[in-house]
Amino acid sequence: MGSEAGIVWKPRVLCLHGFRTSGEILKKQIGKWPQQVLDNLDLVFPNGAHPAQGKSDVEGIFDPPYYEWFQFNKEFTEYTNFDKCLAYIEDYMIKHGPFDGLLGFSQGAILSAGLAGMQAKGVALTKVQKIKFLIIVGGAMFKAPSVAENAYSSPIRCPSLHFLGEMDFLKPYGLELLEKCVDPFVIHHPKGHTIPRLDEKGLETMLSFIERIQKTLLDEEEK
């Protein structure tokens, strides 16, 4: 992968973990992907903006500490500490960037896709470079009206890769998000709300997506 000159551009990716897990846990979850995927991405795994304020679903599977990006009510329509979360991510991107794209799982996936839309509207991540691509695993859309209005008022134009699990309770909402994206790649898998291993077809799609991103970044660099 790369240009005719043999240069391979390794996209730098900020990876946002799921609710009440951690950067270290997401790193382990992603670690089951083939080396030919992992070797072509520069993945960075921060912890969420806030220590977990309740029990984690991964207790007994992955070790603590656990973190969350923001809090929400039972209907997912009201958020707490959301602005602090945005400021925390932007600050992290300034200190550890630049980043080319975002990868997210679950709460991190909802956040990743929403951030791209909010940045395009000029209401988030205004001090960092433009998000050029998204990898969304088990994602959905924001439900809080004020946030959703900012995130999805225009279609999400950057290339995006979406993992949709047949048994994932979020799949219907992941499909809704897909409709908001102009340039989506899709990997279907038979599992539930998880980061799946890649079968042959999934790997092919993933590598095509990475190649597409590398070419885009290289083209931009040459302009």
Side-chain angles (χ1 to χ4, degrees), residues 17-23 25-26 29 47 56 58 65-68:
H17 63 74
F19 187 61
R20 294 183 181 165
T21 63
S22 69
I25 291 170
L26 182 58
Q29 291 171 313
N47 290 320
S56 168
V58 300
Y66 310 120
Y67 300 86
E68 53 203 44

Side-chain angles (χ1 to χ4, degrees), residues 93-149:
M93 292 176 85
I94 291 166
K95 286 178 181 169
H96 302 279
F99 291 95
D100 299 302
L102 301 176
L103 177 154
F105 171 60
S106 197
Q107 188 182 44
I110 295 168
L111 198 47
S112 295
L115 281 168
M118 293 172 82
Q119 186 188 48
K121 194 172 180 182
V123 294
L125 306 187
T126 56
K127 299 173 190 167
V128 295
Q129 73 172 25
K130 186 181 161 202
I131 295 165
K132 299 185 181 77
F133 66 90
L134 299 167
I135 300 174
I136 304 295
V137 188
M141 290 169 63
F142 286 126
K143 283 191 172 181
S146 59
V147 178
E149 189 181 326

